[in-house]
């Protein structure tokens, strides 16, 4: 990457301020924002609210020959710098240039929403993978797939990666033969400019409920909604859930930059939506629905079919419909859609185990009011006469509004709750549990606070009868707990549940 190329790109986006390079014809052989990852002849990006000049000095010791920053450090280091007005936006552009603009070689599909992003992303990936085997990459909250084989499939650390990592992995995917990329786009991705300058072929808005509002996230709901709407403003085609809260605002945002014939909607029994979900039936293991096409757009003509969804939950019919519309725009056939939806398994999403004597155990990543309300509401509707026993906590350091939301969902649909740890971060998990408990109606929900998650799961399962539903919410297949800034090993909810069952004599 030549310095003059980067400077020109920064100037194009009105980010460039100055530089102290001896020549703008200099080349950078590496790019990094972590000083530990700098190599010879590298450009180091100085970012982060807690950035220290010591990081820059370490980067120079590791081979950095220049830096990209909002601050001129020429008084403390000898290497030249490129100074910009916004280093996060500049990092995204630098990464795109360094990795050869890999997005231009991919059909990009992005999902945003408070709930449903991961499941919809898996649906979409499986549909396109059936249509184009070996050509589909996926960036989800759970997994990142940049190619075939185990070495190209790994666990995610962020819903939407830092821009440097995002474009690096895009390049890896393209080099591995990918032509399509399906990815989750968190509101934080726009708040922190992780996808700055990125244009999507299809942007999907699933839903929005109050979440991710707090000192370390969005300052208020208006900002949260605004950040989510940015995906629609940066997409050539738009798909919107007509049943979402704030639909009129979301639709208006999409109309700013997208022509009417490139805006598609779906809704439950909705004659005004592009496609309507009808004849929907759901069980605790799967669901079926039909789509009625209300639009004369030729892209949608073949979508009037019956679809079987392998992931339980009536709320997943909307996620499936979003995937149908997204993949239709990408050129997939109805047969690809039917196959993909019927053969998708999402790790940690509505995983269930039928026990011999302790009911049915469900594991799900439900982590806020919207997802918890949908999950417990579905289960209680399916079996209104069975007890619902929930094990959950709430994350620390963020999403503080979730705590009251969890209590609301429990009050409406649960009979028993075990409140425990779920990524407490720098907070005391007991105090988090007590905050949730303070909003619970104890005349409806019998509540117990159990500090250790493994103990809470054991108590919930051993105390369940054969007609009960035991819901382990929040952690899914995560093999860690975030405690005081450290990913502390944790077996995962399915493993803990399996160990409990194995230890019970009446389950042998």
């Amino acid at each position: 990457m030549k310095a003059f190329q980067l400077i020109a790109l920064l100037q194009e986006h009105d980010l460039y301020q100055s530089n102290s390079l001896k020549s703008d014809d200099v080349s950078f052989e590496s790019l990094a924002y972590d000083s530990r990852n700098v190599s010879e002849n590298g450009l180091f990006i100085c970012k982060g609210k807690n950035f220290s000049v010591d990081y820059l000095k370490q980067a120079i010791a590791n081979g950095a020959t220049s830096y990209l920053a909002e601050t001129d450090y020429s008084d403390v280091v000898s290497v030249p710098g490129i100074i910009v007005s916004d280093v996060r936006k500049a990092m995204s552009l630098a990464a795109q240039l360094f990795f050869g603009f890999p997005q231009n070689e991919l059909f990009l599909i992005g999902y945003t929403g408070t709930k449903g992003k991961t499941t919809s992303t898996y649906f979409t990936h499986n549909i396109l993978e059936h249509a184009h085997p070996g050509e589909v990459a996926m960036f989800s909250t759970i997994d990142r797939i940049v190619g075939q084989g185990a070495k190209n499939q790994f666990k995610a650390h962020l819903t939407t990666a830092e821009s440097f990592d995002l474009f690096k992995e895009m390049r890896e995917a393209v080099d591995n033969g990918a032509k399509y990329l399906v990815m989750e786009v968190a509101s934080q991705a726009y708040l922190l400019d992780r996808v700055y300058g990125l244009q999507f072929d299809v942007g999907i808005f699933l839903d929005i409920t109050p979440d991710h509002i707090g000192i370390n996230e969005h300052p208020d709901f208006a900002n949260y909604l605004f950040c989510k709407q940015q995906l629609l403003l940066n997409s050539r085609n738009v798909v919107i859930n007509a049943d979402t809260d704030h639909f009129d605002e979301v639709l208006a945002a999409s109309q700013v930059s997208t022509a009417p014939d490139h805006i598609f909607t779906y809704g439950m029994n909705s004659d005004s939506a592009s496609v309507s979900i009808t004849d929907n039936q759901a069980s605790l293991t799967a669901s079926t629905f039909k789509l009625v096409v209300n639009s004369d757009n030729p892209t949608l003509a073949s979508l009037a079919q019956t679809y079987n969804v392998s992931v339980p939950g009536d709320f997943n019919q909307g996620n499936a419909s979003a995937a149908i519309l997204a993949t239709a725009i990408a050129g997939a056939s109805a047969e690809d859609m039917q196959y993909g939806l019927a053969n998708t398994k999402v790790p940690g999403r509505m995983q269930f185990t039928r026990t011999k004597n302790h009911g049915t155990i469900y594991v799900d990543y439900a982590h806020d009011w919207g997802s918890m309300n949908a999950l417990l509401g579905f289960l209680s509707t399916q079996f209104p006469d069975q007890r619902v026993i929930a094990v959950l906590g709430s994350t620390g350091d963020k999403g503080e509004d979730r705590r009251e939301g969890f209590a609301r969902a429990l009050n409406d649909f649960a009979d028993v709750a075990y409140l425990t740890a779920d990524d407490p971060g720098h907070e005391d998990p007991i105090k988090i549990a007590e905050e949730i408990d303070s909003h619970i109606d104890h005349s409806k929900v019998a509540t117990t606070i159990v500090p250790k998650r493994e103990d809470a799961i054991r108590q919930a399962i051993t105390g369940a009868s054969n007609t009960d539903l035991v819901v382990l919410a929040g952690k899914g297949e995560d093999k860690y707990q975030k405690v005081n800034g450290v990913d502390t090993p944790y077996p995962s909810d399915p493993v803990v549940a399996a160990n409990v069952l194995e230890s019970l004599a009446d389950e042998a």
Side-chain angles (χ1 to χ4, degrees):
M1 178 175 69
K2 293 283 190 178
F4 71 81
Q5 295 173 314
L6 177 57
I7 290 170
L9 186 58
L10 295 171
Q11 288 173 328
E12 181 183 337
H13 288 258
D14 199 27
L15 296 172
Y16 176 75
Q17 291 192 329
S18 65
N19 80 81
S20 53
L21 300 167
K22 292 182 179 179
S23 168
D24 64 6
D25 194 43
V26 64
S27 294
F28 300 115
E29 304 301 325
S30 69
L31 181 71
Y33 64 91
D34 186 329
S35 58
R36 295 166 296 184
N37 297 332
V38 174
S39 57
E40 282 301 310
N41 195 23
L43 175 65
F44 177 63
I45 303 167
C46 305
K47 77 158 191 75
K49 63 180 181 180
N50 297 318
F51 181 80
S52 166
V53 71
D54 289 338
Y55 299 145
L56 175 55
K57 291 177 180 177
Q58 181 184 7
I60 294 169
N62 290 339
T65 54
S66 188
Y67 63 89
L68 180 69
E70 293 177 8
T71 301
D72 186 344
Y73 294 106
S74 59
D75 58 334
V76 289
V77 298
S78 59
V79 301
I82 300 173
I83 312 305
V84 295
S85 57
D86 189 319
V87 73
R88 282 194 167 276
K89 292 180 179 179
M91 179 169 73
S92 181
L93 295 176
Q96 293 174 46
L97 176 62
F98 186 80
F99 293 110
F101 299 96
Q103 68 269 33
N104 295 340
E105 301 174 64
L106 293 163
F107 188 96
L108 291 178
I109 299 176
Y111 278 95
T112 197
T114 305
K115 60 184 177 70
K117 296 188 297 296
T118 300
T119 300
S120 301
T121 297
Y122 271 82
F123 283 153
T124 305
H125 174 267
N126 282 12
I127 291 169
L128 290 177
E129 183 65 23
H130 187 258
H132 308 285
E135 296 182 355
V136 189
M138 182 180 78
F139 298 167
S140 83
T141 300
I142 304 173
D143 291 318
R144 303 182 86 77
I145 300 173
V146 298
Q148 300 297 295
K151 69 177 182 178
N152 292 313
Q153 301 180 16
F154 46 92
K155 294 299 177 182
H157 295 289
L158 295 169
T159 298
T160 308
E162 286 283 8
S163 56
F164 172 86
D165 302 305
L166 178 66
F167 292 105
K168 176 178 181 289
E169 290 168 6
M170 279 190 192
R171 171 48 58 194
E172 291 172 359
V174 169
D175 290 348
N176 287 330
K179 296 180 180 178
Y180 301 84
L181 169 60
V182 188
M183 62 180 285
E184 296 183 44
V185 185
S187 57
Q188 293 278 303
Y190 282 103
L191 182 67
L192 301 176
D193 293 307
R194 292 175 183 162
V195 290
Y196 178 76
L198 191 59
Q199 185 80 6
F200 290 83
D201 293 286
V202 187
I204 304 99
F205 192 104
L206 296 172
D207 47 56
I208 188 165
T209 55
D211 192 29
H212 296 289
I213 298 166
I215 191 169
N216 294 318
E217 299 184 281
H218 298 278
D220 50 42
F221 180 79
N223 179 263
Y224 180 49
L225 175 59
F226 173 81
C227 287
K228 285 200 169 297
Q229 290 172 324
Q230 299 313 297
L231 174 62
L232 308 183
L233 295 170
N234 290 280
S235 297
R236 298 179 182 90
N237 297 277
V238 167
V239 175
I240 307 171
N241 176 7
D243 297 327
T244 185
D245 291 344
H246 301 275
F247 171 73
D248 290 341
E249 295 168 68
V250 174
L251 178 63
S254 70
Q255 291 170 334
V256 170
S257 57
T258 309
D261 59 343
H262 288 268
I263 299 174
F264 304 87
T265 57
Y266 64 93
M268 191 70 69
N269 299 309
S270 175
D271 294 338
S272 60
S274 304
V275 297
S276 178
I277 303 166
T278 65
D279 297 334
N280 55 307
Q281 302 176 30
S283 71
L284 291 174
T285 58
S287 66
T288 300
F289 67 95
K290 291 182 180 178
L291 277 189
V292 173
V293 177
N294 302 316
S295 167
D296 58 4
N297 191 311
T299 303
L300 311 183
S302 65
L303 303 186
Q305 308 281 346
T306 297
Y307 300 90
N308 297 311
V309 184
S310 59
V311 181
D314 50 2
F315 46 88
N316 280 317
Q317 295 168 359
N319 296 332
S321 298
I324 288 169
L325 287 172
T327 54
I329 297 167
S333 69
E335 188 275 330
D336 294 322
M337 300 167 194
Q338 289 170 322
Y339 179 90
L341 295 176
N343 292 277
T344 295
K345 299 297 181 186
V346 186
R349 298 288 184 185
M350 288 295 280
Q351 290 181 220
F352 64 93
T353 301
R354 289 195 177 95
T355 73
K356 292 180 179 179
N357 296 293
H358 294 272
T360 302
I361 302 169
Y362 284 86
V363 175
D364 193 86
Y365 277 108
H367 64 281
D368 56 26
W369 173 82
S371 54
M372 184 67 71
N373 190 66
L375 171 61
L376 297 184
F378 169 70
L379 294 176
S380 63
T381 298
Q382 291 293 308
F383 288 96
D385 298 325
Q386 293 183 223
R387 286 199 312 166
V388 173
I389 302 172
V391 177
L392 74 154
S394 187
T395 54
D397 305 327
K398 64 179 182 178
E400 295 177 10
D401 54 317
R402 295 176 182 176
R403 299 168 193 182
E404 182 176 356
F406 282 140
R408 287 165 49 205
L410 293 170
N411 290 338
D412 288 340
F413 300 113
D415 300 284
V416 179
Y418 291 89
L419 305 180
T420 189
D422 181 348
D423 292 340
H426 294 87
E427 293 190 61
D428 181 348
I430 298 302
K431 290 185 178 179
I432 294 174
E434 289 173 344
E435 187 173 345
I436 299 172
D437 186 59
S438 70
H439 299 288
I440 290 178
D441 183 345
H442 295 101
S443 68
K444 297 179 179 179
V445 186
T447 307
T448 304
I449 294 176
V450 184
K452 190 175 181 181
R453 191 174 181 91
E454 293 95 322
D455 293 341
I457 292 173
R458 174 171 290 277
Q459 290 186 36
I461 293 174
T462 56
S465 70
N466 207 31
T467 57
D468 292 339
L469 305 176
V470 180
V471 179
L472 312 181
K475 290 299 295 176
E477 290 199 345
D478 288 352
K479 292 180 172 59
Y480 60 87
Q481 287 264 27
K482 291 184 179 295
V483 181
N484 293 321
V486 177
D487 286 352
T488 305
Y490 168 72
S492 82
D493 283 358
V495 170
V496 173
N499 291 341
V500 170
L501 292 173
E502 187 177 353
S503 72
L504 296 177
D506 61 352
E507 287 291 328

